[in-house]
Amino acid sequence: MEFSQSVADLIEHLGRLPGIGRKSAERLAYHLLRANKAEALALADAIRSVRENVHYCAVCFNLAEGRLCHICSDPRRDQSLLCVVEQPRDLIALEQAGAFRGLYHVLLGRISPLEGVGPEQITVAPLVERVRRGNFVEVIMGTNPTVEGDGTALYISNQLAEFPVQITRLARGVT
Ligand code: ZN
């Protein structure tokens, strides 16, 4: 079956999204064609807005709409505690739990030799620089409790060993 060029383009782009195969891409495209026009265009606007307005915080690599994210620009946060997480969504989960009042550092990934991701592909160097210059007392490794998360935490712990900070692993409840 032949699609018009616009429909073919849409299916092509949707199909590049993670977890969306060809069939799902077609289904989504048909949905968008049938959906209320304002709703479909609101999705397009939301994609445009997030890409034009949201970037990484200059300090911690959390998502931010200004130069700094809402946590780095909050003077009430405890400047002596730093929690290292893999992704912005991990930070959001910890914030929702509400127990941590310090600052964060988002790695934007984890070290994964199998996937060819080394320390230079994530934000380890800015983290080391931040700890060198900062006044942190404790750095909490909040990477995920997986083989790669543990390996990343170990690598970073070694990188931070020369600094006078206490390095701990985030305790997580078993779910
Ligand atoms: Zn930040």
Coordinates of all heavy atoms in Angstrom, one line a residue, residues 35-104:
A35 N -7.4 11.8 15.0 CA -7.6 12.5 16.3 C -8.0 14.0 16.0 O -7.8 14.5 14.9 CB -6.3 12.5 17.1
N36 N -8.6 14.6 17.0 CA -8.9 16.0 17.0 C -7.7 16.8 16.6 O -6.6 16.5 17.1 CB -9.3 16.3 18.5 CG -9.6 17.8 18.7 OD1 -8.7 18.6 18.6 ND2 -10.8 18.1 19.0
K37 N -7.9 17.7 15.6 CA -6.7 18.4 15.0 C -5.9 19.2 16.1 O -4.7 19.1 16.1 CB -7.2 19.3 13.9 CG -6.0 20.0 13.2 CD -6.5 20.8 12.0 CE -5.4 21.5 11.3 NZ -5.8 22.4 10.3
A38 N -6.6 19.8 17.0 CA -6.0 20.7 18.0 C -5.1 19.8 18.9 O -4.0 20.1 19.3 CB -7.0 21.4 18.8
E39 N -5.6 18.6 19.2 CA -4.9 17.7 20.1 C -3.6 17.2 19.4 O -2.5 17.1 20.0 CB -5.8 16.5 20.4 CG -5.5 15.8 21.7 CD -6.6 14.7 21.9 OE1 -7.7 15.2 22.2 OE2 -6.3 13.6 21.9
A40 N -3.7 16.8 18.1 CA -2.5 16.4 17.4 C -1.5 17.5 17.3 O -0.3 17.3 17.4 CB -3.0 15.9 16.0
L41 N -2.0 18.7 17.0 CA -1.0 19.8 16.9 C -0.4 20.2 18.2 O 0.7 20.6 18.3 CB -1.7 21.1 16.3 CG -2.1 20.9 14.8 CD1 -2.8 22.1 14.2 CD2 -0.9 20.5 13.9
A42 N -1.2 20.0 19.3 CA -0.6 20.2 20.7 C 0.5 19.3 20.9 O 1.5 19.7 21.6 CB -1.7 20.0 21.7
L43 N 0.5 18.0 20.4 CA 1.6 17.1 20.6 C 2.8 17.6 19.8 O 3.9 17.7 20.4 CB 1.2 15.7 20.1 CG 2.3 14.7 20.0 CD1 2.9 14.4 21.4 CD2 1.8 13.4 19.3
A44 N 2.6 18.1 18.6 CA 3.7 18.7 17.8 C 4.3 19.9 18.6 O 5.5 20.0 18.7 CB 3.2 19.1 16.5
D45 N 3.5 20.7 19.1 CA 4.0 21.9 19.9 C 4.7 21.5 21.1 O 5.7 22.1 21.4 CB 2.8 22.8 20.3 CG 2.2 23.5 19.1 OD1 2.8 23.6 18.0 OD2 1.1 24.1 19.2
A46 N 4.3 20.5 21.8 CA 4.9 20.0 23.0 C 6.3 19.5 22.7 O 7.3 19.8 23.4 CB 4.1 18.9 23.7
I47 N 6.5 18.8 21.6 CA 7.8 18.3 21.1 C 8.7 19.4 20.8 O 9.8 19.5 21.3 CB 7.6 17.3 19.9 CG1 6.9 16.0 20.3 CG2 9.0 17.0 19.4 CD1 6.5 15.1 19.2
R48 N 8.2 20.4 20.1 CA 9.0 21.6 19.7 C 9.4 22.3 20.9 O 10.6 22.7 21.1 CB 8.1 22.5 18.8 CG 8.9 23.7 18.3 CD 8.1 24.5 17.3 NE 7.7 23.8 16.1 CZ 8.6 23.5 15.1 NH1 9.8 24.0 15.1 NH2 8.2 22.8 14.1
S49 N 8.5 22.6 21.9 CA 8.7 23.3 23.1 C 9.8 22.7 23.9 O 10.7 23.3 24.4 CB 7.5 23.5 23.9 OG 7.8 24.1 25.1
V50 N 9.7 21.4 24.1 CA 10.6 20.7 25.0 C 12.1 20.7 24.4 O 13.1 20.9 25.1 CB 10.2 19.2 25.3 CG1 10.5 18.2 24.2 CG2 10.7 18.7 26.6
R51 N 12.1 20.6 23.0 CA 13.5 20.7 22.4 C 14.0 22.1 22.4 O 15.2 22.3 22.4 CB 13.4 20.1 21.0 CG 13.2 18.6 21.0 CD 14.2 17.9 22.0 NE 15.6 18.2 21.8 CZ 16.5 17.5 21.3 NH1 16.2 16.3 20.9 NH2 17.7 17.9 21.2
E52 N 13.2 23.1 22.3 CA 13.7 24.5 22.2 C 14.0 25.1 23.6 O 14.9 25.9 23.7 CB 12.7 25.3 21.4 CG 12.8 25.0 19.9 CD 11.8 25.8 19.1 OE1 10.9 26.5 19.7 OE2 11.9 25.8 17.9
N53 N 13.2 24.6 24.6 CA 13.3 25.3 25.9 C 14.1 24.5 27.0 O 14.5 25.0 28.0 CB 11.9 25.6 26.4 CG 11.2 26.5 25.5 OD1 11.8 27.4 24.9 ND2 9.9 26.3 25.3
V54 N 14.1 23.2 26.8 CA 14.7 22.3 27.8 C 16.1 21.9 27.4 O 16.3 21.4 26.3 CB 13.8 21.1 28.1 CG1 14.4 20.2 29.2 CG2 12.4 21.6 28.5
H55 N 17.1 22.0 28.3 CA 18.4 21.5 28.1 C 19.0 21.0 29.4 O 18.2 20.9 30.4 CB 19.3 22.7 27.5 CG 19.1 23.9 28.3 ND1 18.3 25.0 27.9 CD2 19.7 24.3 29.4 CE1 18.4 25.9 28.8 NE2 19.2 25.5 29.7
Y56 N 20.2 20.7 29.4 CA 20.8 20.2 30.7 C 21.4 21.3 31.5 O 22.0 22.3 31.0 CB 22.0 19.2 30.3 CG 21.5 18.0 29.6 CD1 21.9 17.6 28.4 CD2 20.5 17.2 30.2 CE1 21.4 16.5 27.7 CE2 20.0 16.1 29.6 CZ 20.5 15.7 28.3 OH 20.0 14.6 27.7
C57 N 21.1 21.2 32.8 CA 21.6 22.1 33.8 C 23.1 22.3 33.7 O 23.8 21.2 33.5 CB 21.2 21.7 35.2 SG 22.0 22.6 36.5
A58 N 23.6 23.5 33.7 CA 25.1 23.7 33.5 C 25.9 23.1 34.7 O 27.1 22.9 34.5 CB 25.3 25.2 33.4
V59 N 25.3 22.9 35.8 CA 26.0 22.3 36.9 C 25.8 20.8 37.1 O 26.8 20.1 37.2 CB 25.6 23.1 38.2 CG1 26.2 22.4 39.5 CG2 26.1 24.5 38.1
C60 N 24.6 20.4 37.1 CA 24.3 19.0 37.5 C 23.8 18.1 36.4 O 23.6 16.9 36.6 CB 23.3 19.0 38.7 SG 21.6 19.2 38.2
F61 N 23.5 18.7 35.2 CA 23.0 17.9 34.1 C 21.6 17.4 34.2 O 21.2 16.5 33.5 CB 24.0 16.8 33.7 CG 25.3 17.4 33.2 CD1 26.3 17.5 34.2 CD2 25.6 17.7 31.9 CE1 27.6 18.1 33.8 CE2 26.8 18.3 31.6 CZ 27.8 18.5 32.5
N62 N 20.9 17.9 35.2 CA 19.4 17.6 35.3 C 18.8 18.4 34.1 O 19.4 19.3 33.5 CB 18.9 18.1 36.7 CG 17.5 17.9 36.9 OD1 16.9 17.0 36.2 ND2 16.9 18.6 37.8
L63 N 17.6 18.1 33.8 CA 16.8 18.9 32.8 C 16.5 20.3 33.4 O 16.2 20.4 34.6 CB 15.6 18.2 32.4 CG 15.8 16.8 31.7 CD1 14.4 16.2 31.4 CD2 16.6 17.0 30.4
A64 N 16.7 21.3 32.6 CA 16.5 22.7 33.1 C 15.9 23.5 32.0 O 16.2 23.3 30.8 CB 17.8 23.2 33.6
E65 N 15.2 24.5 32.4 CA 14.7 25.5 31.4 C 15.5 26.8 31.4 O 15.5 27.6 30.5 CB 13.2 25.8 31.6 CG 12.4 24.5 31.4 CD 11.0 24.6 30.7 OE1 10.7 25.7 30.2 OE2 10.3 23.6 30.7
G66 N 16.2 27.0 32.5 CA 17.2 28.2 32.5 C 18.6 27.6 32.5 O 18.8 26.4 32.1
R67 N 19.6 28.4 32.9 CA 20.9 27.9 32.9 C 21.1 26.8 34.0 O 21.8 25.8 33.8 CB 21.9 29.0 33.2 CG 23.4 28.7 32.9 CD 24.3 29.9 33.2 NE 24.7 29.9 34.6 CZ 25.7 29.2 35.1 NH1 26.4 28.4 34.3 NH2 26.0 29.2 36.3
L68 N 20.4 27.0 35.1 CA 20.4 26.1 36.2 C 19.1 25.4 36.4 O 18.1 26.0 36.2 CB 20.9 26.8 37.5 CG 22.2 27.4 37.6 CD1 22.5 28.1 38.9 CD2 23.3 26.4 37.3
C69 N 19.1 24.2 36.9 CA 17.8 23.5 37.2 C 17.2 24.0 38.5 O 17.9 24.8 39.2 CB 18.0 22.0 37.3 SG 18.9 21.5 38.8
H70 N 16.0 23.6 38.8 CA 15.3 24.2 40.0 C 16.0 23.7 41.3 O 15.9 24.4 42.3 CB 13.8 23.8 40.0 CG 13.6 22.3 40.2 ND1 13.9 21.3 39.2 CD2 13.2 21.6 41.3 CE1 13.6 20.1 39.7 NE2 13.1 20.3 40.9
I71 N 16.8 22.6 41.2 CA 17.4 22.2 42.5 C 18.7 23.0 42.7 O 19.0 23.5 43.8 CB 17.7 20.7 42.4 CG1 16.3 20.0 42.5 CG2 18.6 20.2 43.5 CD1 16.4 18.5 42.2
C72 N 19.5 23.1 41.6 CA 20.8 23.9 41.8 C 20.5 25.4 42.1 O 21.3 26.0 42.7 CB 21.6 23.8 40.5 SG 22.3 22.2 40.3
S73 N 19.3 25.9 41.7 CA 19.1 27.3 42.0 C 18.3 27.5 43.3 O 17.9 28.6 43.6 CB 18.3 27.9 40.8 OG 17.3 27.1 40.3
D74 N 18.1 26.4 44.1 CA 17.4 26.5 45.3 C 18.4 26.6 46.5 O 19.1 25.6 46.8 CB 16.5 25.3 45.5 CG 15.7 25.3 46.8 OD1 15.9 26.2 47.6 OD2 14.8 24.4 47.0
P75 N 18.5 27.8 47.1 CA 19.5 28.0 48.2 C 19.2 27.2 49.5 O 20.1 27.0 50.3 CB 19.4 29.5 48.5 CG 18.1 29.9 48.1 CD 17.7 29.0 46.9
R76 N 18.0 26.6 49.6 CA 17.7 25.8 50.8 C 18.3 24.4 50.7 O 18.3 23.7 51.7 CB 16.2 25.7 51.0 CG 15.6 27.1 51.4 CD 14.1 27.1 51.2 NE 13.8 26.7 49.8 CZ 12.5 26.6 49.3 NH1 11.5 26.8 50.1 NH2 12.3 26.3 48.0
R77 N 18.7 24.0 49.5 CA 19.3 22.6 49.4 C 20.6 22.5 50.2 O 21.4 23.5 50.2 CB 19.5 22.2 47.9 CG 18.3 22.3 47.0 CD 17.2 21.4 47.3 NE 17.5 20.0 47.2 CZ 16.7 19.0 46.9 NH1 15.4 19.3 46.6 NH2 17.0 17.8 46.8
D78 N 20.9 21.4 50.8 CA 22.1 21.2 51.5 C 23.3 21.0 50.6 O 23.4 20.1 49.8 CB 21.9 19.9 52.4 CG 23.1 19.7 53.3 OD1 24.2 20.2 53.1 OD2 22.9 19.0 54.3
Q79 N 24.2 22.0 50.6 CA 25.3 22.1 49.7 C 26.4 21.1 50.0 O 27.4 21.0 49.3 CB 25.9 23.5 49.7 CG 24.9 24.6 49.5 CD 24.4 24.8 48.1 OE1 25.2 24.7 47.2 NE2 23.1 25.0 47.9
S80 N 26.3 20.4 51.1 CA 27.3 19.5 51.5 C 27.1 18.0 51.1 O 27.9 17.2 51.2 CB 27.5 19.5 53.1 OG 26.5 18.9 53.7
L81 N 25.9 17.8 50.6 CA 25.5 16.4 50.2 C 25.3 16.4 48.7 O 24.6 17.2 48.1 CB 24.2 16.0 50.8 CG 24.2 15.9 52.4 CD1 22.7 15.5 52.8 CD2 25.2 14.9 52.8
L82 N 25.9 15.4 48.1 CA 25.7 15.2 46.6 C 25.3 13.8 46.3 O 26.0 12.8 46.7 CB 27.1 15.5 45.9 CG 27.1 15.5 44.4 CD1 26.2 16.6 43.8 CD2 28.5 15.7 43.8
C83 N 24.2 13.6 45.6 CA 23.8 12.3 45.2 C 24.0 12.1 43.7 O 23.5 12.9 42.9 CB 22.3 12.2 45.6 SG 21.7 10.5 45.2
V84 N 24.6 11.1 43.3 CA 25.0 10.8 41.9 C 23.9 9.8 41.3 O 23.8 8.7 41.9 CB 26.4 10.2 41.8 CG1 26.7 9.9 40.3 CG2 27.4 11.2 42.4
V85 N 23.2 10.2 40.3 CA 22.2 9.3 39.7 C 22.5 9.2 38.2 O 23.3 9.9 37.6 CB 20.8 9.9 39.9 CG1 20.4 9.9 41.4 CG2 20.6 11.3 39.3
E86 N 21.9 8.2 37.6 CA 22.1 7.9 36.2 C 21.4 8.9 35.3 O 21.9 9.4 34.3 CB 21.7 6.5 35.8 CG 22.6 5.4 36.5 CD 22.3 4.0 36.2 OE1 21.6 3.8 35.2 OE2 22.7 3.1 37.0
Q87 N 20.1 9.0 35.5 CA 19.2 9.8 34.6 C 18.3 10.8 35.3 O 18.1 10.6 36.5 CB 18.3 8.8 33.8 CG 19.0 7.8 32.9 CD 19.7 8.4 31.7 OE1 19.5 9.6 31.4 NE2 20.4 7.6 31.0
P88 N 17.9 11.9 34.6 CA 16.9 12.8 35.3 C 15.7 12.1 35.9 O 15.3 12.5 37.0 CB 16.5 13.7 34.1 CG 17.7 13.7 33.2 CD 18.2 12.3 33.3
R89 N 15.3 11.0 35.3 CA 14.1 10.3 35.9 C 14.4 9.7 37.3 O 13.5 9.6 38.1 CB 13.5 9.2 34.9 CG 14.5 8.1 34.6 CD 13.8 7.0 33.8 NE 14.7 6.0 33.5 CZ 15.4 5.9 32.4 NH1 15.2 6.8 31.4 NH2 16.3 5.0 32.1
D90 N 15.7 9.3 37.5 CA 16.1 8.8 38.8 C 16.0 9.9 39.8 O 15.7 9.7 41.0 CB 17.5 8.2 38.7 CG 17.6 7.1 37.7 OD1 16.7 6.2 37.7 OD2 18.6 7.0 37.0
L91 N 16.5 11.1 39.4 CA 16.4 12.3 40.3 C 15.0 12.6 40.7 O 14.6 12.8 41.8 CB 17.1 13.4 39.6 CG 17.1 14.8 40.2 CD1 18.2 15.7 39.6 CD2 15.8 15.6 40.2
I92 N 14.1 12.5 39.7 CA 12.7 12.8 39.9 C 12.1 11.8 40.9 O 11.4 12.1 41.9 CB 11.9 12.8 38.6 CG1 12.3 14.0 37.8 CG2 10.4 12.8 38.9 CD1 11.8 13.9 36.3
A93 N 12.5 10.5 40.8 CA 12.0 9.5 41.7 C 12.4 9.8 43.1 O 11.7 9.6 44.1 CB 12.4 8.1 41.2
L94 N 13.7 10.2 43.3 CA 14.2 10.5 44.6 C 13.5 11.7 45.2 O 13.2 11.8 46.4 CB 15.7 10.7 44.6 CG 16.5 9.4 44.4 CD1 18.0 9.7 44.1 CD2 16.4 8.5 45.7
E95 N 13.3 12.7 44.3 CA 12.6 13.9 44.8 C 11.2 13.6 45.3 O 10.7 14.1 46.2 CB 12.6 14.9 43.7 CG 13.9 15.7 43.5 CD 14.3 16.4 44.7 OE1 13.7 17.4 45.1 OE2 15.3 16.0 45.4
Q96 N 10.5 12.7 44.5 CA 9.2 12.3 44.9 C 9.2 11.6 46.3 O 8.2 11.7 47.0 CB 8.5 11.4 43.8 CG 8.1 12.3 42.7 CD 7.6 11.6 41.4 OE1 7.9 10.4 41.3 NE2 7.0 12.2 40.5
A97 N 10.2 10.8 46.5 CA 10.3 10.1 47.8 C 10.5 11.2 48.9 O 10.1 11.0 50.1 CB 11.5 9.1 47.8
G98 N 11.2 12.3 48.5 CA 11.2 13.4 49.4 C 12.2 13.4 50.6 O 12.2 14.2 51.5
A99 N 13.1 12.4 50.6 CA 14.0 12.2 51.8 C 15.3 12.9 51.6 O 16.0 13.2 52.6 CB 14.2 10.7 52.0
F100 N 15.7 13.2 50.4 CA 17.0 13.8 50.2 C 16.9 15.3 50.0 O 16.2 15.8 49.2 CB 17.6 13.1 48.9 CG 19.0 13.6 48.7 CD1 20.1 13.2 49.5 CD2 19.3 14.3 47.5 CE1 21.4 13.7 49.3 CE2 20.6 14.7 47.3 CZ 21.6 14.4 48.1
R101 N 17.8 16.0 50.7 CA 17.7 17.5 50.7 C 19.0 18.1 50.1 O 19.2 19.3 50.2 CB 17.4 18.1 52.1 CG 16.1 17.7 52.7 CD 14.9 18.1 51.8 NE 15.0 19.6 51.6 CZ 14.4 20.2 50.6 NH1 13.7 19.5 49.7 NH2 14.4 21.5 50.5
G102 N 19.9 17.3 49.6 CA 21.1 17.8 49.0 C 21.0 18.1 47.6 O 20.0 18.4 47.0
L103 N 22.2 18.1 46.9 CA 22.3 18.4 45.5 C 22.5 17.1 44.7 O 22.8 16.0 45.3 CB 23.4 19.3 45.2 CG 23.4 20.7 45.9 CD1 24.6 21.5 45.7 CD2 22.2 21.5 45.4
Y104 N 22.3 17.1 43.4 CA 22.4 15.9 42.6 C 23.5 16.1 41.5 O 23.9 17.3 41.2 CB 21.1 15.7 41.8 CG 20.0 15.2 42.7 CD1 19.1 16.1 43.2 CD2 19.8 13.9 43.0 CE1 18.0 15.7 44.0 CE2 18.8 13.4 43.8 CZ 17.9 14.4 44.3 OH 16.8 14.0 45.1

